[in-house]
Amino acid sequence: MIFLVMGIGIIILLTAVFRIHAFFALLVACFVVGLGVQMPVANIINVTKQGFGNIMQSLGFIIVLGTALGVVLEHTGSTKVMATYILKRIGERQAPLAMGITGFIVGLPIFCDSGYIVLSGLNKSLCRRTGISVIIMSVSLATGLYSVHCLIPPHPGAAAAASAVGVDFGKLIITGMAVALPAMLVGYAWARYAGRKIQNEAPEEAPVVDLTTKMPSVTLSFLPVLVPIVLIGIKSFLSIGTGRTIPTWMQVFTVAGDPVVALAIGIILAFCAVRTWNKNVVGNLLQEAAEKAGGILVIIGAGGAFGAILAATQVGQHVSNAVNLQALGILFPFLLTAILKTAQGSSTVAIITASSIIQPLIPALGLDSEAGRLLAVLSMGAGSMTLSHANDAYFWVIAKFSGLDMRSMLQVYTLATLFMGLTTLGVIYILSLVMM
């Protein structure tokens, strides 16, 4: 067990203190743990290769396609169309809530930092138009995006955890959305409460968002987000139970509901939002998506390698012998991920690392069932929210694009992420009473 602690410590030290890329930090941890238990170097290399390859096999296409969908939605202006439609329905007097809901929906296919950058112009315009404090509007939008980023595939952390632990993507998406909603509302509520005490002037130069030219319709803007979710959800519903025959016409949904196919359909729908396309633009967008996904995939692959090393060293048995894990249950995945997140800043690295550790501990935690594994992944997602501060890149994206000082960010946004994580853990605990 001491080598597991050393491995985690090395990951935190290298990523948080020395700013070493998580891929290399995880590989170093693989060798530290492997050599610590006297595993031959040749075996360490083979196991890490297998772990890397297995996670790529299950997640490679999903991450690349999910990233591509987000990039196309940004380029077409669909995200701004969705935001404006939600604002119109809810009303300008409830603009912070509208931005929270916008973040929740836009954040389903788009990474939180990208989503915030895309919507920051609209957010600034609304601050000027409504007179509502910048901190309230910004944190409402940021926490809406953040709530789904930590809990729902195809976001890389949740996707990697689901793959490592063995959880159906469709069930995780549906349950994760239900769990993320209270988190989003708590983030919005804290932004309104705490933000009232902080006076921020409206941005002097807020770009005007013009939605009158070359913007897709509301329907075409929402379809690329909603259709993949519906298809994946239908497939998960059809897979419930065994031994029953699915009608031929419904078998189409078992194919279309595969996350890879569903995301590909979403990309096609996103391209349909614009009538004419320049081939160079299409090529550049797909190039950007592939490059952006590449950086994520190497971290996920290294996380899979670390998990394979831990499995090979039977770390689960050693930890379960040293600690009464069953008494901790879903609390342990939350605490482990929260420590990793707070220490090194990245939600993705935190949940990927935690899932590689939790996977062999699932039986000892008393979570070795379909519902238990689902709750374990959600618990890690809640931990990866807790808490975001100055070592998190997203923290600085919000501050930079909103013109907020660090003190205001810590008082409002950082505390909001703490309350979001604890609220999500509470919701998961209630679910555990019903599902297990």
Side-chain angles (χ1 to χ4, degrees):
M1 181 175 174
I2 187 173
F3 295 106
L4 170 61
V5 176
M6 287 178 61
I8 296 172
I10 284 172
I11 293 169
I12 294 174
L13 179 67
L14 293 179
T15 57
V17 178
F18 293 101
R19 301 298 179 184
I20 301 296
H21 193 278
F23 170 79
F24 298 102
L26 285 162
L27 284 187
V28 171
C30 288
F31 278 88
V32 168
V33 174
L35 293 173
V37 297
Q38 299 181 344
M39 181 184 293
V41 174
N43 287 1
I44 295 174
I45 294 173
N46 288 333
V47 171
T48 54
K49 285 181 178 179
Q50 290 172 4
F52 191 99
N54 289 338
I55 204 74
M56 287 297 103
Q57 180 181 357
S58 59
L59 284 183
F61 285 167
I62 294 172
I63 298 300
V64 174
L65 292 173
T67 305
L69 175 58
V71 169
V72 176
L73 287 173
E74 291 174 28
H75 180 82
T76 60
S78 295
T79 53
K80 293 179 181 178
V81 172
M82 288 187 280
T84 304
Y85 176 80
I86 294 169
L87 177 66
K88 186 182 298 184
R89 290 294 179 181
I90 295 179
E92 288 190 4
R93 294 182 62 183
Q94 295 296 329
L97 178 60
M99 294 312 294
I101 295 173
T102 298
F104 186 90
I105 295 175
V106 170
L108 291 171
I110 296 177
F111 297 165
C112 57
D113 50 358
S114 298
Y116 193 89
I117 292 168
V118 169
L119 294 173
S120 62
L122 177 63
N123 190 53
K124 290 178 182 178
S125 296
L126 289 175
C127 289
R128 288 172 58 86
R129 203 160 74 192
T130 61
I132 298 174
S133 173
V134 176
I135 189 73
I136 295 176
M137 293 289 289
S138 299
V139 174
S140 296
L141 172 60
T143 52
L145 289 159
Y146 194 55
S147 62
V148 291
H149 180 85
C150 295
L151 290 166
I152 300 172
H155 294 297
S163 178
V165 176
V167 174
D168 179 78
F169 274 42
K171 293 172 184 175
L172 178 59
I173 290 173
I174 295 170
T175 311
M177 288 177 65
V179 171
L181 185 59
M184 181 273 291
L185 293 174
V186 166
Y188 153 74
W190 178 254
R192 293 217 66 147
Y193 172 76
R196 290 181 302 177
K197 303 176 183 180
I198 300 174
Q199 294 298 322
N200 293 103
E201 296 181 0
E204 295 180 1
E205 296 182 3
V208 177
V209 179
D210 184 8
L211 297 175
T212 60
T213 59
K214 296 183 180 179
M215 286 290 179
S217 67
V218 172
T219 300
L220 290 177
S221 297
F222 276 96
L223 279 179
V225 178
L226 299 180
V227 169
I229 293 172
V230 171
L231 290 174
I232 294 171
I234 291 174
K235 183 190 176 184
S236 297
F237 176 78
L238 293 176
S239 66
I240 296 175
T242 56
R244 60 193 183 92
T245 303
I246 300 175
T248 303
W249 66 272
M250 294 183 69
Q251 291 179 9
V252 174
F253 291 103
T254 64
V255 176
D258 184 281
V260 172
V261 178
L263 288 170
I265 292 172
I267 294 172
I268 294 172
L269 291 173
F271 275 118
C272 291
V274 176
R275 292 184 179 181
T276 58
W277 282 93
N278 182 296
K279 64 180 181 180
N280 292 329
V281 173
V282 174
N284 290 336
L285 285 178
L286 297 180
Q287 176 75 16
E288 177 187 344
E291 292 175 353
K292 189 174 182 180
I296 299 165
L297 287 173
V298 294
I299 298 176
I300 292 175
F306 186 50
I309 287 289
L310 295 179
T313 57
Q314 297 182 332
V315 69
Q317 182 178 347
H318 296 299
V319 175
S320 60
N321 290 338
V323 183
N324 184 11
L325 291 177
Q326 190 160 6
L328 294 174
I330 60 170
L331 181 60
F332 183 76
F334 171 84
L335 290 174
L336 175 62
T337 316
I339 291 170
L340 290 167
K341 161 65 179 178
T342 305
Q344 54 77 44
S346 169
S347 297
T348 300
V349 173
I351 194 170
I352 290 172
T353 306
S355 63
S356 64
I357 298 169
I358 294 297
Q359 192 275 330
L361 300 178
I362 288 292
L365 289 166
L367 300 174
D368 196 12
S369 65
E370 186 177 5
R373 291 172 182 271
L374 174 61
L375 293 173
V377 173
L378 291 173
S379 181
M380 286 185 277
S384 71
M385 291 181 187
T386 317
L387 46 83
S388 174
H389 60 97
N391 63 357
D392 184 357
Y394 186 46
F395 178 96
W396 293 110
V397 167
I398 300 165
K400 178 181 177 181
F401 282 85
S402 302
L404 298 170
D405 61 90
M406 186 171 181
R407 182 179 178 182
S408 299
M409 286 290 294
L410 291 172
Q411 288 178 343
V412 185
Y413 171 70
T414 296
L415 285 178
T417 62
L418 173 61
F419 297 139
M420 289 170 69
L422 294 175
T423 299
T424 305
L425 178 63
V427 174
I428 294 167
Y429 175 73
I430 295 171
L431 283 178
S432 70
L433 299 178
V434 177
M435 298 172 64
M436 296 184 66

